[in-house]
Amino acid sequence: MKKLLSGNEAIALGAYEAGVKIGVGYPGTPSTEVLQHFKNYPGVYAQWSPNEKVALEVGAGASIAGARALVTMKHVGVNVAADPLFTLSYTGINGGLVLLSADDPGMHSSQNEQDNRYYALMSKIPCLEPSDSQEAKDMVAAALEISEQFDTPVMLRTTTRVNHSQTMVETAERIEQPLKEYKKDAGKYVATPGNARARRLHLEQRMKDLRLFAETSQLNSIHWAGKEVGVITAGISYTYVREVMPRASVLKLGITNPLPEKLIEQFASQVDRVVVVEELDPFLETQIKAMGIEVLGKEIVPKIGELNPVILAKAFREAGLPVAEQYQEPPVSPLDKEAPEAPVRPPVLCAGCPHRATFHVLRKLKLTVTGDIGCYTLGSAPPLSAMDTCICMGASIGVAHGMELANPDLKGNTVAVIGDSTFLHSGVTGLMDIVYNKGKSTVLILDNRTTAMTGHQDHPATGKTLMGRPTVEVDLEALVKSLGIKRVKVLDPINIDQFEKAVKEEVAAAEPSVIIARHPCALLTKEPRRPVTVNAEACIKCKLCLKLGCPAISHLDGVAVIDGIQCNGCGLCVQVCKKGAIIKGGQNNA
């Protein structure tokens, strides 16, 4: 039976059909939906872990114990998981272990672009790249087989377009995999220097064996057509190449680490010109050129951002290479001439978002704000413009400490903001560092009771697991106190006056402090609230309410207007309006 599935749905199905028992990860676009689908299959267990390092360690444990395991994360998550990954390639596995790295060319929802095939290269593990949903499903099973055959974790590297686009997928029955016998083997699984030196030799032999395997694997395939141009490609780029250059021969690489060098040499020798098409870095191109093969690559194909057929056709046309008839001229849509340009809609915090109140206060107090990854990163955008830095998950606290150490002018004038999920991900150690090293920073934990940006996933402080079961809820206040923070306040940021007073007090304090700004995500609660209204006669057109950046507020002829569809009655604008022109909508409002 065939089903129309996204790549993420297909990966979940592939893991189920291939007998994976344990799925574990940390939510991050574009990988999040994999485990959300996987958990729904019978006889499996799935969980969110506090961060990607822990997720991979759990997956490693499940594998060593004998079960097949799938570990999911977005590309930057592999940075967090790199520590166990590089040693897992030494120790090897028992049950098959697949690490899904979902890369995000174009940074649709990420703080950087990075090509995680380099992680496979550096850690010396195989890397598989699917080009559509069917392959995404099939390659999970293939990766598990390779993992067990060669005693290694395997990276399944996808990109956003594969994860989120849909193609038809042939489904199959699950093949139950008996638990492999666990054997105590310290020489293999205990990575002391003496053991690791022996495993280092094993690692090199494994890579030799994998190179031989890649030469004949059906995961790599040649699609012969004309011999004028031969394209070497992988992943989603393969589908673009077939559409744009139907007359070119194509070497499609399903295994991109290690490369099948003899197969590549054979292919290149039979075509007049070789072009390498790949998203992001010249990962394949660099290695193929090192083999002494002349190729065209990033001279014509962009290495920044996501590719698509139009971009690829333009690159080929400008290089004088043949393209499909429909791509021989730049496409011109009638809409390009007749339709007005779509208005720019910058990303904004949702109407009723509690983070808006926090950033309103921080901007008002003119504090330096070190930020973090999450919805609240939008606090950096106008008109709130209340965030100075955002580096990576969990970095805000360490950055605040560093800024205050380096610059006396910033001492006592800086706060770090971090979400509840992100604090548990990797913020705890930053706060521990401040306490240990006698810093005096103020940290705001924006506790909206969920992992909001990726779609409301649970985390250790929500009291519910990925499987939907009630569980122990981390007490953030007690956790912070246990680290040595004595000044801890729990406040609702929507109460602006109270919140502002608390921030002033804690920033002025001569010791580190934490404010837990607790208010549920506006999209999480179902509490009915009547929208606020405007008394037009009382409005003095000061536009102070517009500085909140709430998408429900606009103005007409200078007078404030509230969109009752978007407004959830949080009451923040009611507090900001000093003339009483904005009025509560009902007694249930804040």
Side-chain angles (χ1 to χ4, degrees):
M1 183 175 68
K2 287 192 173 182
K3 288 184 177 179
L4 184 63
L5 299 178
S6 70
N8 282 344
E9 291 174 304
I11 291 168
L13 176 62
Y16 170 70
E17 290 180 357
V20 168
K21 288 187 171 61
I22 306 293
V24 55
Y26 184 82
T29 306
S31 68
T32 308
E33 299 85 359
V34 173
L35 290 187
Q36 290 177 323
H37 289 286
F38 178 73
K39 73 177 175 61
N40 296 325
Y41 289 108
V44 304
Y45 171 80
Q47 71 168 50
W48 296 128
S49 287
N51 64 34
E52 296 85 354
K53 178 177 183 290
V54 175
L56 183 55
E57 290 159 351
V58 172
S63 167
I64 292 170
R68 285 188 164 185
L70 172 69
V71 183
T72 70
M73 58 194 68
K74 67 182 297 178
H75 61 295
V76 290
V78 182
N79 303 335
V80 182
D83 200 0
L85 174 63
F86 277 65
T87 301
L88 268 176
S89 68
Y90 277 58
T91 64
I93 51 86
N94 186 16
L97 177 62
V98 173
L99 167 63
L100 170 66
S101 169
D103 293 9
D104 188 17
M107 294 174 280
H108 297 284
S109 185
S110 305
Q111 65 269 42
N112 70 19
E113 281 185 332
Q114 64 184 52
D115 194 326
N116 275 9
R117 294 177 295 182
Y118 289 112
Y119 269 117
L121 185 70
M122 284 193 297
S123 63
K124 299 179 184 292
I125 62 172
C127 179
L128 274 54
E129 291 193 68
S131 62
D132 58 25
S133 297
Q134 180 69 60
E135 287 190 358
K137 192 203 85 160
D138 294 343
M139 283 191 180
V140 174
L144 289 163
E145 293 294 332
I146 293 171
S147 175
E148 293 177 352
Q149 180 180 348
F150 293 93
D151 187 19
T152 177
V154 176
M155 174 179 285
L156 181 68
R157 188 246 188 182
T158 57
T159 54
T160 305
R161 203 56 51 183
V162 171
N163 291 100
H164 288 166
S165 60
Q166 294 180 316
T167 60
M168 297 302 292
V169 175
E170 186 74 43
T171 64
E173 296 296 321
R174 175 177 168 91
I175 301 175
E176 291 293 344
Q177 300 291 330
L179 200 65
K180 291 181 177 295
E181 181 184 2
Y182 168 70
K183 294 180 180 177
K184 185 180 178 70
D185 187 348
K188 184 172 188 290
Y189 296 121
V190 180
T192 57
N195 292 337
R197 290 187 194 105
R199 296 298 299 178
R200 181 77 177 84
L201 301 176
H202 176 85
L203 186 60
E204 290 304 317
Q205 182 58 50
R206 176 202 296 157
M207 290 307 294
K208 288 182 181 177
D209 296 341
L210 281 163
R211 288 189 188 94
L212 291 174
F213 172 81
E215 295 289 354
T216 57
S217 171
Q218 293 185 353
L219 295 170
N220 300 318
S221 56
I222 296 176
H223 305 266
W224 289 113
K227 299 295 182 69
E228 181 184 355
V229 178
V231 180
I232 301 175
T233 187
I236 190 66
S237 299
Y238 167 75
T239 63
Y240 302 153
V241 168
R242 292 306 300 266
E243 181 174 331
V244 173
M245 298 194 70
R247 288 176 291 171
S249 294
V250 180
L251 170 55
K252 177 178 181 295
L253 297 174
I255 303 175
T256 51
N257 191 61
L259 291 181
E261 295 187 359
K262 290 182 179 176
L263 183 64
I264 292 171
E265 289 172 351
Q266 174 200 342
F267 177 75
S269 69
Q270 297 184 55
V271 295
D272 297 335
R273 302 179 71 181
V274 180
V275 183
V276 177
V277 177
E278 55 190 326
E279 283 186 322
L280 299 181
D281 292 344
F283 178 82
L284 303 175
E285 178 187 340
T286 302
Q287 295 183 74
I288 293 171
K289 282 181 174 175
M291 294 162 55
I293 298 173
E294 184 179 346
V295 302
L296 271 178
K298 292 305 175 184
E299 301 99 317
I300 61 171
V301 180
K303 65 178 180 181
I304 297 174
E306 189 178 29
L307 296 180
N308 62 42
V310 173
I311 292 173
L312 202 56
K314 179 175 183 290
F316 275 60
R317 280 197 312 272
E318 291 179 353
L321 298 169
V323 295
E325 186 175 350
Q326 68 267 33
Y327 288 107
Q328 288 179 3
E329 298 293 335
V332 178
S333 166
L335 293 176
D336 293 340
K337 295 180 178 178
E338 300 170 5
E341 289 189 8
V344 177
R345 183 184 181 279
V348 295
L349 295 169
C350 302
C353 175
H355 300 333
R356 177 172 287 104
T358 298
F359 288 115
H360 168 74
V361 169
L362 298 181
R363 182 194 59 191
K364 181 180 178 183
L365 297 179
K366 299 180 179 178
L367 296 173
T368 298
V369 180
T370 59
D372 225 295
I373 305 294
C375 294
Y376 42 91
T377 311
L378 297 173
S380 65
L384 292 170
S385 304
M387 187 181 289
D388 293 69
T389 69
C390 179
I391 309 296
C392 67
M393 291 283 281
S396 62
I397 300 176
V399 171
H401 182 49
M403 291 180 78
E404 292 191 328
L405 285 174
N407 190 331
D409 292 339
L410 295 174
K411 201 168 187 176
N413 192 37
T414 300
V415 297
V417 297
I418 189 168
D420 44 348
S421 180
T422 311
F423 179 69
L424 296 173
H425 175 279
S426 49
V428 176
T429 44
L431 188 60
M432 192 187 306
D433 181 62
I434 287 177
V435 175
Y436 176 63
N437 289 298
K438 298 186 178 299
K440 297 178 181 178
S441 302
T442 297
V443 175
L444 275 60
I445 301 176
L446 310 189
D447 180 9
N448 63 359
R449 316 305 297 159
T450 188
T451 311
M453 179 165 265
T454 47
H456 292 151
Q457 289 75 34
D458 285 294
H459 59 67
T462 66
K464 190 181 291 184
T465 71
L466 174 58
M467 302 295 283
R469 300 165 186 160
T471 185
V472 175
E473 179 179 323
V474 171
D475 184 334
L476 289 176
E477 184 178 1
L479 173 60
V480 166
K481 288 181 177 176
S482 75
L483 297 176
I485 298 290
K486 296 176 182 176
R487 299 181 66 92
V488 182
K489 291 180 177 175
V490 182
L491 297 166
D492 185 341
I494 296 293
N495 187 331
I496 292 179
D497 291 341
Q498 182 190 49
F499 187 68
E500 181 177 334
K501 179 174 180 291
V503 173
K504 285 180 179 176
E505 289 175 355
E506 297 313 316
V507 169
E511 60 180 299
S513 59
V514 168
I515 296 174
I516 301 175
R518 180 168 292 154
H519 192 102
C521 171
L523 303 181
L524 193 64
T525 57
K526 304 298 181 186
E527 180 185 355
R529 284 177 167 175
R530 295 179 184 175
V532 301
T533 57
V534 176
N535 178 355
E537 294 182 356
C539 178
I540 61 171
K541 304 181 180 180
C542 67
K543 300 182 180 178
L544 196 60
C545 55
L546 292 179
K547 292 184 178 180
L548 292 173
C550 177
I553 306 175
S554 61
H555 67 91
L556 181 63
D557 297 330
V559 176
V561 176
I562 305 293
D563 180 353
I565 300 297
Q566 293 192 66
C567 176
N568 78 345
C570 73
L572 187 61
C573 54
V574 175
Q575 298 174 69
V576 169
C577 181
K578 301 304 181 187
K579 297 297 179 182
I582 302 179
I583 305 163
K584 290 181 179 180
Q587 61 181 4
N588 288 333
N589 287 355

